[in-house]
Amino acid sequence: MSKGNVLVVGSNATRIEIQGGGTGPTGQYLNELVVPVMALLAAGYDITFATPDGTKPFIDPVSDQTVHFDNDEAAHKRAQDFFANDRAMNSVKTLRAVLDGGLDQYVAFFTPGGQAPVVDLMQDPELGEILRHFHAHKKPSAFLCHGPIASISAMQHAREFRAALIAGDTPKAAKLAQGWPYAGYRMTVYSSSEEKPIEDNILHGKLYFHMPEALTTAGGVVDVGPDFAPHVVEDRELITGQNPRSDHQIGKALVAALSRVSVDA
């Protein structure tokens, strides 16, 4: 028998804005999505997978490499097969359908990274409604790598906040952030120094804003560890992981948080 249903939300973005105009390629990271999801399934939880438009996320080719699976070719192949073929990855709902179906059925929330959430999830009003429910009911909510930026959607003026960041108007962004449910929470996210190789070698341009600065402006207490080393921060119901190397750790932390909730219940 299932221990409960975990809502996993992915992005549909394939391009991200860069300074000076134009865009660069983006997507979700394969290991960041499948490693925690496989851990949840192995622990006895069901998965509901959703994206804004109800189609599967685009996997960033940069992430579809054995290096992200500790150079274990078998683990990489299992991840590819899981994403391509497992029912949990192929029964994708829209966020609207998730809301219409009722949020009380979900025991936890998870969003992976890759830069894609910076484009759509960060400013999605339906995701904001979902996250405000999880926050109000203190349900474990996990975000990995760039994923924590999706928590901005819980802001009443998320789109305007993002626009202010792109315009470089930090005071305006801070004012728009007032009332953000996660203000004062300790959290981690992909660091500015970790972002630089992607900007230099993949985007060939700079992002309009980096994740730690955006979350700090929103009112988060950002704690980043060493570059590309596993790092997970937990504060109340919020669980955040810094980078792709934190994939196993955030899966374990979310399963442990769910176990604690079950015991308390």
Side-chain angles (χ1 to χ4, degrees):
M1 188 173 74
S2 171
K3 292 181 179 178
N5 193 355
V6 177
L7 177 61
V8 177
V9 172
S11 166
N12 292 125
T14 61
R15 308 289 298 181
I16 189 168
E17 308 98 325
I18 54 177
Q19 291 184 28
T23 62
T26 195
Q28 301 260 214
Y29 262 44
L30 178 64
N31 67 303
E32 294 182 20
L33 172 59
V34 303
V35 169
V37 167
M38 291 171 76
L40 288 162
L41 291 170
Y45 293 93
D46 288 332
I47 297 297
T48 293
F49 195 22
T51 64
D53 71 11
T55 62
K56 291 179 72 170
F58 173 71
I59 296 298
D60 191 330
V62 173
S63 73
D64 195 3
Q65 301 182 39
T66 305
V67 66
H68 292 294
F69 298 88
D70 296 322
N71 292 311
D72 184 335
E73 292 183 4
H76 182 196
K77 181 64 164 57
R78 283 194 300 273
Q80 291 175 318
D81 289 345
F82 180 83
F83 181 74
N85 302 313
D86 194 272
R87 185 185 64 82
M89 294 287 93
N90 288 285
S91 300
V92 189
K93 294 186 175 185
T94 64
L95 296 181
R96 183 71 258 163
V98 167
L99 285 166
D100 290 345
L103 299 177
D104 289 340
Q105 64 184 293
Y106 301 109
V107 297
F109 174 93
F110 172 61
T111 282
Q115 292 171 322
V118 183
V119 180
D120 56 359
L121 297 187
M122 178 183 183
Q123 56 181 336
D124 190 288
E126 291 172 339
L127 179 58
E129 186 176 347
I130 290 168
L131 289 179
R132 288 191 292 273
H133 166 89
F134 277 82
H135 170 73
H137 291 83
K138 298 181 173 57
K139 298 179 183 181
S141 302
F143 303 82
L144 180 57
C145 196
H146 290 79
I149 204 69
S151 67
I152 293 295
S153 67
M155 219 178 262
Q156 291 296 337
H157 302 288
R159 287 180 177 172
E160 295 88 345
F161 175 86
R162 185 178 188 274
L165 291 179
I166 288 174
D169 193 341
T170 301
K172 181 178 179 180
K175 186 174 181 180
L176 288 163
Q178 291 179 10
W180 184 47
Y182 302 105
Y185 276 64
R186 289 181 58 249
M187 58 188 68
T188 192
V189 71
Y190 203 62
S191 71
S192 300
S193 50
E194 288 171 319
E195 200 82 72
K196 190 174 188 307
I198 296 177
E199 291 177 320
D200 291 347
N201 302 315
I202 297 171
L203 298 178
H204 304 294
K206 293 186 178 298
L207 296 177
Y208 279 100
F209 57 88
H210 287 161
M211 305 311 106
E213 291 79 8
L215 290 174
T216 298
T217 300
V221 182
V222 179
D223 169 10
V224 295
D227 285 0
F228 304 110
H231 183 53
V232 170
V233 173
E234 297 186 58
D235 187 350
R236 288 159 278 186
E237 82 278 8
L238 186 66
I239 306 166
T240 50
Q242 180 172 326
N243 50 40
R245 294 281 295 166
S246 307
D247 54 356
H248 288 281
Q249 287 79 1
I250 203 163
K252 291 175 182 175
L254 182 52
V255 169
L258 282 163
S259 297
R260 292 193 298 271
V261 170
S262 177
V263 169
D264 292 342

